[in-house]
Amino acid sequence: MNKWIKTGLLAAVPALLLMLPACKKYKDIPPYFENNTDTLKKTSRKVLIIGIDGAVGAEYKTIQPPVLVGMQTHSKFSYEAVSDEGTSDAASWKSLVSGISFSRHKIQDSSFIYTQPLGSAPHDAPAIYPSIFTYLLSSSKSDTRTSLISSWSTLNNRLVPEVEDKVLAANDAAVKDSAIVRLKNPKSDLVIVHFNGAAIAGRASSFSASAAAYKDAVLKVDGYIGELMTALKARPDYNKQEEWLVIVNGTHGGTGNTYGGPSDKETNVISFYYNERMKQKELIRGGAFSGIQVKNRDAAAIKAQIADDGGLYNPGTGQQTIQLSVKGTSGAYPHFFSKMAVWPSTPGWSMFTSGQTWAISVRSTTGGESRIQGTTPNVFDNKWHTITVVFADSASKKWLRRYTDGVRTDQTEITTQYNNSGTFTNTSQLLIGHGADPGQGFSTIYTADISIFNTALTDAEIAGNKCNTNLTTHPKYANLIGYWPANDGYGGRLKNQAPAGAGKDFVLRGGFTWDGQTEVPCTTIPNTSTTKVSQLLKSVDVAATMFYWLKITPAASWGLEGSTWLSQYEIEFITL
């Protein structure tokens, strides 16, 4: 029934009543209230993102800034979050506002120009990864009103030209004042605020809680955040028709008085996700495993490689132990870990699958192939298993021993491989994934705790090393020449933590992603805390979480790398 008909009927009622006999009485017509859909308020979701340059998580935890500490009550937060392996200002902000890691976007300096990776074809088209604002404009929420306030003009002009309301302020205090104006505007939907005072103080003194200048800068920015939160909560519809998610994230950390590199302190940042209905929970790295799944073949292959190890990982004519944990499934005889250019015709070694079991092929510079393919326990059953290969000397002979989950499977004599001055020496890359045998298929596996010793470990040492949570206590630690936990959780490489293997990192190739695992290797120490949850937060999570909060489903073509981990806590903040 439309408004005109209802109004006409109501106007006609008094006249009809006058025409009726006076002795009759009628009940009053009940009142009718029409909903005005033009003014009905609907719940809307909005986001405030505060990026802080130089917010070292460990130092913030020591300083305990009062505003952030107070926000913990309604936050999922971490002092152990990571930014990215590229920690320059440009690299850090690009990762934050694109949801793409430095290993892909390759933005290194304030020109914000893509840097061509070493070894790529000179005429390859540069990779282009737009900011979240470009994606917003092409989404179902293209009318989202956006603001970004910063004292860095290059950030405003080159990184986020799509922002509707860009504000260039003189310093952090002016950034705060301009942000408060935006937060008082009822039309604001997405506001990003950039503070750099902590980074300036860290460069001038030290990124340390013990440095007075750095601590003072941290507390000053914390006070600004308090003023922003006061303005936000003063909005008439705050926590009513408006559901705000506040994200406070460090863009990079710092070590000494510098930053820009991939060290732990340079990548360590704070990460807070605040909503009025959220319950307190601290998120920590301990107990979590986040790894790379190597898979596919040819141009689509996801793999990890050390292109030039300087000969460090050649068994040569000596003894060596190679050990790694694997989890995954297998196809028909794919090679998954190798130091052999082309199987089986070049020197080296290559591990491959044989159904659910595993095998290894070795070939010296003078000998033919020796293929050790006897039955082993199943390891490709999508559970974690540890496999070990030992090149050993015994009784004037050369042997190759295999172990599965710390137990010796077999021992094969390979003495003839060393005849006529044969050696297991080559310049081939150390490779995880498809490549040594291009004619076969590929396996789909995660790896962890890859270690190489330049000696033959004993049966007892191998059994004891299977779940060793601290290799520095290993009796042959001095012989450890390579150790890659493969649990970095971010970046484009698997870092080598063996002192003798400095600079020998595995570089990741292909469209890899870091995936959190429910089942973890036995070397991962479980988190037994009842107040903390094992979860690694990363800068690239900010973009993915923002889209999740705004109820925008990212297109696969955007290639966002971040996790929507916040969805597991929906019961706390979803309103019906």
Side-chain angles (χ1 to χ4, degrees):
M1 183 180 290
N2 63 40
K3 189 181 294 185
W4 185 88
I5 294 174
K6 287 182 273 191
T7 303
L9 286 174
L10 292 172
V13 169
L16 289 171
L17 290 175
L18 291 174
M19 296 172 62
L20 295 173
C23 60
K24 279 219 170 181
K25 292 186 178 180
Y26 291 84
K27 294 180 180 179
D28 291 336
I29 296 176
Y32 179 83
F33 300 100
E34 180 183 9
N35 287 330
N36 186 342
T37 57
D38 294 331
T39 60
L40 182 65
K41 292 186 177 180
K42 298 179 180 179
T43 300
S44 61
R45 286 190 163 187
K46 299 174 183 286
V47 181
L48 168 62
I49 299 174
I50 302 172
I52 307 174
D53 296 346
V56 184
E59 305 308 316
Y60 263 66
K61 191 160 191 176
T62 299
I63 295 170
Q64 290 286 287
V67 172
L68 282 177
V69 170
M71 290 173 64
Q72 291 178 179
T73 305
H74 297 290
S75 293
K76 302 293 184 269
F77 65 96
S78 179
Y79 293 98
E80 300 178 5
V82 294
S83 53
D84 206 345
E85 63 179 335
T87 58
S88 68
D89 293 320
S92 300
W93 272 98
K94 180 65 177 181
S95 297
L96 190 75
V97 301
S98 68
I100 302 295
S101 65
F102 173 75
S103 61
R104 284 192 174 83
H105 66 65
K106 293 297 181 184
I107 299 298
Q108 292 182 333
D109 57 42
S110 299
S111 68
F112 286 101
I113 296 174
Y114 173 80
T115 303
Q116 199 83 6
L118 292 175
S120 59
H123 301 295
D124 283 353
I128 298 175
Y129 299 104
S131 76
I132 54 179
F133 301 102
T134 296
Y135 299 140
L136 273 173
L137 290 172
S138 63
S139 74
S140 59
K141 301 286 182 68
S142 58
D143 59 344
T144 298
R145 284 150 297 200
T146 58
S147 297
L148 190 146
I149 307 101
S150 172
S151 59
W152 187 16
S153 60
T154 313
L155 173 65
N156 281 350
N157 297 331
R158 296 190 180 182
L159 184 58
V160 289
E162 316 91 337
V163 175
E164 178 182 348
D165 172 38
K166 294 192 292 288
V167 181
L168 179 62
N171 49 41
D172 279 0
V175 165
K176 176 261 299 180
D177 292 338
S178 296
I180 287 174
V181 171
R182 269 72 193 169
L183 293 175
K184 289 181 177 179
N185 185 342
K187 294 184 178 181
S188 293
D189 294 321
L190 170 61
V191 180
I192 298 183
V193 182
H194 170 207
F195 291 125
N196 66 1
I200 292 172
R203 288 198 303 267
S205 57
S206 173
F207 288 89
S208 171
S210 61
Y214 179 74
K215 181 178 180 180
D216 290 346
V218 167
L219 294 175
K220 182 170 286 187
V221 170
D222 187 63
Y224 294 157
I225 294 173
E227 292 185 56
L228 296 185
M229 294 302 295
T230 298
L232 182 66
K233 293 181 179 183
R235 292 172 67 93
D237 288 327
Y238 176 79
N239 205 31
K240 297 171 186 174
Q241 271 69 46
E242 294 178 351
E243 295 179 308
W244 281 86
L245 176 66
V246 180
I247 303 174
V248 182
N249 215 93
T251 60
H252 60 74
T255 181
N257 64 352
T258 188
Y259 59 89
S263 71
D264 289 345
K265 287 205 67 177
E266 289 167 289
T267 58
N268 172 221
V269 295
I270 60 167
S271 191
F272 278 63
Y273 289 76
Y274 175 97
N275 174 263
E276 209 69 42
R277 296 183 176 89
M278 212 176 288
K279 296 179 181 178
Q280 178 171 333
K281 189 68 70 176
E282 183 175 359
L283 309 181
I284 61 174
R285 293 190 68 171
F289 182 88
S290 183
I292 297 292
Q293 186 180 59
V294 295
K295 58 183 178 179
N296 300 331
R297 56 173 294 159
D298 303 327
I302 298 173
K303 55 189 178 181
Q305 63 189 61
I306 301 175
D308 181 9
D309 64 7
L312 181 62
Y313 301 121
N314 283 320
T317 58
Q319 303 188 96
Q320 189 178 79
T321 301
I322 307 160
Q323 180 170 290
L324 72 158
S325 294
V326 295
K327 175 190 174 186
T329 58
S330 169
Y333 304 108
H335 292 235
F336 61 89
F337 190 34
S338 60
K339 196 176 191 310
M340 177 184 284
V342 180
W343 174 86
S345 56
T346 60
W349 56 264
S350 183
M351 298 181 189
F352 61 97
T353 72
S354 179
Q356 286 189 303
T357 67
W358 69 281
I360 185 169
S361 169
V362 295
R363 184 186 184 103
S364 73
T365 53
T366 60
E369 181 203 11
S370 293
R371 189 179 307 178
I372 297 90
Q373 199 172 344
T375 302
T376 69
N378 290 349
V379 295
F380 292 99
D381 54 3
N382 222 25
K383 297 183 183 298
W384 285 105
H385 295 278
T386 301
I387 58 180
T388 310
V389 170
V390 176
F391 290 85
D393 298 341
S394 178
S396 302
K397 294 183 178 180
K398 301 285 188 177
W399 306 89
L400 190 143
R401 299 171 183 150
R402 289 192 302 162
Y403 300 75
T404 303
D405 291 326
V407 178
R408 188 194 290 193
T409 302
D410 49 36
Q411 175 174 273
T412 304
E413 185 182 353
I414 55 171
T415 306
T416 56
Q417 290 281 354
Y418 296 86
N419 291 342
N420 302 315
S421 302
T423 174
F424 289 95
T425 299
N426 60 50
T427 58
S428 304
Q429 63 185 1
L430 191 61
L431 174 69
I432 307 170
H434 183 265
D437 178 18
Q440 295 289 355
F442 60 90
S443 54
T444 302
I445 61 170
Y446 292 92
T447 59
D449 298 305
I450 306 162
S451 58
I452 300 179
F453 295 81
N454 63 4
T455 189
L457 299 186
T458 66
D459 289 3
E461 289 169 341
I462 289 169
N465 192 47
K466 182 172 74 77
C467 294
N468 191 344
T469 59
N470 182 6
L471 277 181
T472 61
T473 64
H474 194 280
K476 298 290 177 61
Y477 181 69
N479 298 99
L480 184 68
I481 57 175
Y483 176 54
W484 304 265
N487 185 23
D488 304 71
Y490 70 102
R493 61 189 62 231
L494 308 180
K495 295 178 184 177
N496 193 335
Q497 295 188 8
K504 305 294 190 297
D505 297 339
F506 277 101
V507 177
L508 296 163
R509 304 295 187 194
F512 61 87
T513 58
W514 289 97
D515 306 319
Q517 295 289 297
T518 302
E519 182 188 357
V520 300
C522 62
T523 51
T524 301
I525 301 174
N527 171 25
T528 58
S529 172
T530 58
T531 60
K532 301 176 182 180
V533 171
S534 297
Q535 175 79 51
L536 175 62
L537 296 187
K538 300 171 283 188
S539 286
V540 292
D541 292 337
V542 170
T545 305
M546 184 207 73
F547 284 118
Y548 158 75
W549 188 261
L550 296 176
K551 300 180 180 179
I552 297 172
T553 302
S557 60
W558 298 355
L560 296 184
E561 298 177 32
S563 164
T564 55
W565 60 272
L566 192 61
S567 61
Q568 63 187 296
Y569 299 103
E570 281 186 349
I571 193 172
E572 297 178 10
F573 51 76
I574 289 291
T575 56
L576 301 177

